[in-house]
Structure formats: structure tokens, C-alpha cells
Amino acid sequence: MEAVFSADALTGSGPLYLQLQRRIVEAMKDGRLAPGNSLPAERDIAAMTGLSRVTVRKAVEGLVTSGQLVQRRGSGTFVAARVERLEQALSLLTSFTEDMARRGKSVESVWLSRALHSPSPEEVMALGLGAGDRVARLERVRRSDGVPLAIERASLSAEVVPRPELVDASLYALLETSGNRPVRAVQRISAANLGARDAELLGVTPGAAGLKIERIGYLPSGRVVEFTRSLYRGDAYDFAVELKLSPDSERTNG
């Protein structure tokens, strides 16, 4: 650790805070700073490097913003866990459990809430509920190989999921047993900066980039069965879609 933050190590060119950032990144790449390792306090880094605390803070904040370091209130600054980037095809209607299983990865749900509620106006509109209807809300953190990747907040009519506490690993597996699995869906994806609570649940810094996905799932009859809002870590997911020429374009070009 002392070698990483020795004053002799900062002999390169450019601003001192960038030199310090490069030293920390190099140490992470060669294993001297492993995921989960804690960094010395800013005052200790300043003493070891001979830099001012303002310079040290600027260097650390830059690496926190980029997701390479994580700060935990009351605990300190840590090297962020390495997250494998995953690509998900938008042309397939699959559950998180099914998607991870195809990759040979383990799946874990950390349940935050499973209960029946009175629906919000948004849920009434999305699910086509009537006065007096109840809604099942399922909120959980989805983890793969121990790494939190997404927060999933699903809403379904209580007629479809009368006992939400029985939902286990896969919601779609449960829906399939009752003939209520969606066969098509409309998804909307937008960028989002994670708030403090969501960032803590996903193990990233507040304000980190995320992907907000709203999904409305339909039964063969056209009835809406699922209204899900998810937040994915921006550093872990890429969404891909295949594009083709329309039949009219093919005829024109032919």
C-alpha cells in the first residue's frame, strides 16, 4: 500500500491529481489493490504522497464518479467490485432468471417487499384496474454470482397473483403455471442517475449512471398482466436489438 502512495511514485507529467489517479488505477490493474480493498484515509494519503488533501480528494472523487472506487458513509473508500458487462437482446421476452441461466450464472433475489396494496393511479392506468381492485407489488434486488445488477419493481393484479409471498425465484415461472405468462411486451428504456437508496442497494455511488426500464406485458388476449419498472446498473448492462429492412424497403432496393 505504501508503494502505491509513495511520493516517489508521483514523478510523471500532468496535474498531480491525475498522476495520483493513474497510480491508483495501475495498482488496481496489477492486483496490488483488489476489489473490496479499502484505501487509506485522505489525510493519510496526503501525508504519504506529500500532496494536499484538496488534491487527494479531487483524485478520489474522480475515480468514484467513474465507478472504480466506492465510498461508504462511515466506512471509507473501497475498490469497486469488478462487474462483467452483460449484453441482453431486446428481441426476447425473458425473465432475469432465464437470462442468467442461459449464461450459466447463479441468480439470487433479495426481497424488499411482497405484499398486496391499493393501486396507485399509475398502476390503475397500466393494468386496467377498477375501483376496489388490489395490486400485488414485488420489489427485489436481482443478483447474479453475488453481484447486485438490478432493482425490479413489478405490479400485477391481485387476481393474477393473489399471494405475492409465494413468488420465489422467477415470477414468470409462477405466471406460467397459472396460464398468465405474458407473450409480448412493450419496453421503454431511459437513462437515469441512481438516487441514494437505489445506489446503496446496487452497491454503487449515488448519482451513478443507470438504465431505467419500464415493461408492460400482455397476455394472448391483449390484456395487460404485468407492469414492471426496473433499474439496471449502467456499468453492467448493454441492451442490443437487431434491425432489419422493412418489406417495403426490400422491394424498393430489389
Side-chain angles (χ1 to χ4, degrees):
M1 189 71 71
E2 291 183 1
V4 177
F5 297 107
S6 68
D8 295 339
L10 302 175
T11 57
S13 59
L16 292 173
Y17 81 94
L18 289 179
Q19 292 186 43
L20 179 56
Q21 283 185 352
R22 285 196 292 268
R23 289 297 301 169
I24 295 173
V25 171
E26 288 170 3
M28 289 190 288
K29 288 181 178 178
D30 64 24
R32 286 176 292 164
L33 285 174
N37 283 173
S38 62
L39 268 64
E42 288 180 0
R43 63 176 178 275
D44 295 331
I45 295 177
M48 287 187 282
T49 58
L51 301 175
S52 69
R53 290 186 64 175
V54 172
T55 299
V56 172
R57 185 174 300 115
K58 187 174 182 179
V60 170
E61 287 177 348
L63 294 176
V64 168
T65 299
S66 66
Q68 294 165 282
L69 297 177
V70 176
Q71 287 183 323
R72 299 172 188 153
R73 186 175 299 176
S75 298
T77 303
F78 299 83
V79 178
R82 293 190 181 96
V83 179
E84 177 187 355
R85 279 195 89 82
L86 302 172
E87 183 176 288
Q88 180 173 329
L90 292 177
S91 56
L92 299 175
L93 180 55
T94 60
S95 68
F96 183 90
T97 302
E98 292 166 338
D99 187 42
M100 291 299 113
R102 286 201 311 272
R103 304 170 192 268
K105 294 181 174 294
S106 66
V107 177
E108 178 188 3
S109 291
V110 180
W111 285 102
L112 306 175
S113 175
R114 281 178 286 186
L116 295 175
H117 299 271
S118 297
S120 68
E122 187 180 22
E123 289 168 331
V124 168
M125 292 293 293
L127 294 170
L129 301 178
D133 286 343
R134 303 278 281 172
V135 66
R137 288 186 195 147
L138 309 168
E139 183 180 16
R140 54 183 165 173
V141 177
R142 309 307 305 268
R143 301 167 65 97
S144 177
D145 292 346
V147 178
L149 296 178
I151 303 169
E152 185 180 90
R153 298 178 172 104
S155 300
L156 304 97
S157 167
E159 290 184 5
V160 176
V161 183
R163 298 184 63 188
E165 70 275 8
L166 296 182
V167 179
D168 191 15
S170 174
L171 171 61
Y172 276 16
L174 178 68
L175 293 178
E176 191 159 15
T177 63
S178 62
N180 288 308
R181 176 167 178 153
V183 296
R184 69 180 184 90
V186 175
Q187 288 195 151
R188 292 180 174 85
I189 302 176
S190 58
N193 293 109
L194 300 177
R197 178 175 180 266
D198 290 336
E200 182 178 3
L201 291 172
L202 292 175
V204 298
T205 303
L211 293 169
K212 180 181 178 181
I213 301 177
E214 181 179 291
R215 173 187 287 188
I216 296 179
Y218 297 85
L219 297 176
S221 65
R223 176 190 173 190
V224 174
V225 69
E226 169 203 12
F227 175 45
T228 298
R229 290 142 295 177
S230 301
L231 280 172
Y232 285 79
R233 287 177 58 155
D235 64 344
Y237 259 87
D238 289 320
F239 290 88
V241 61
E242 180 182 0
L243 302 177
K244 296 181 179 180
L245 287 174
S246 68
D248 290 342
S249 297
E250 290 177 350
R251 284 196 296 269
T252 301
N253 292 334

